[in-house]
Amino acid sequence: MPAHALDHVGIAVHSLDESLPLFESITGDKGYARERVESQGVEVVFLGRGDGRLELLAPTRDDSAVAKFLAKRGPGMHHLCYRVPDVQAELDRYRAEGARLIDEHPRPGASGHLVAFLHPKSTGGVLTELLQASDGH
Ligand code: CMX
């Protein structure tokens, strides 16, 4: 099985507008693909190219997962996202290994890719997202 590439690192922030200049300075890139993902109660923007991009996440609702994270821990690293060829197959594999899944099935995420989350209690304390690119790469 080929190694899964790190697609992005999710960083929780209170405000995209306030945080973008700092992360644009760090990455040397302009934010792109800004989008509200209403199902997750977040607005996201990406920075950086190739593997290991950054995704800034800001809450759009007080009851969203990112709002809860910010209230408890403050801004910082929120999740790692790995690119896989088949999210459902990976979920089935993790379930068979006894891992705790947040999503039983893939769902549409940012940029139209299929995504699913694994619970941090089963992934070494690191919230982990699996992403199946809509273009198959
Ligand atoms: N990374 C690591 N651990 C985390 C975490 C995170 N991002 N978020 C929560 N936890 C830990 C908490 O610290 C807590 O641990 P303890 O019990 O030891 O204190 C435990 O998980 C339970 O956390 P909680 O605060 O009670 O929060 P919830 O159970 O309500 O939710 C989680 C936690 C991970 C299930 C929830 O945030 C979730 O479903 N996340 C997946 C969806 C998501 O994050 N969407 C936003 C991104 C969307 C996108 O990228 O498009």
Side-chain angles (χ1 to χ4, degrees):
M1 184 171 69
H4 300 152
L6 181 67
D7 185 87
H8 64 260
V9 177
I11 311 277
V13 300
H14 288 291
S15 157
L16 295 189
D17 288 333
E18 285 172 19
S19 300
L20 256 176
L22 170 65
F23 286 97
E24 287 180 339
S25 166
I26 290 170
T27 60
D29 195 17
K30 284 281 176 205
Y32 60 92
R34 186 164 172 163
E35 179 186 348
R36 284 172 80 96
V37 184
E38 294 296 354
S39 60
Q40 292 292 305
V42 290
E43 187 175 14
V44 306
V45 66
F46 288 87
L47 299 118
R49 306 288 154 172
D51 292 346
R53 304 175 295 156
L54 296 187
E55 179 190 45
L56 303 188
L57 310 139
T60 57
R61 305 192 297 263
D62 289 346
D63 63 348
S64 67
V66 172
K68 195 169 175 186
F69 178 91
L70 285 166
K72 197 167 174 181
R73 300 192 183 196
M77 207 200 87
H78 180 261
H79 68 265
L80 297 182
C81 176
Y82 291 93
R83 214 173 310 136
V84 299
D86 183 338
V87 174
Q88 186 63 64
E90 286 299 308
L91 290 174
D92 293 344
R93 182 171 72 82
Y94 279 106
R95 190 187 302 102
E97 290 173 1
R100 192 167 155 192
L101 310 181
I102 292 173
D103 298 299
E104 286 292 330
H105 301 287
R107 54 179 177 71
S111 306
H113 302 312
L114 280 179
V115 302
F117 282 86
L118 307 173
H119 200 282
K121 294 293 179 197
S122 291
T123 49
V126 179
L127 177 61
T128 301
E129 179 180 16
L130 305 174
L131 178 151
Q132 179 179 334
S134 53
D135 61 4
H137 298 291

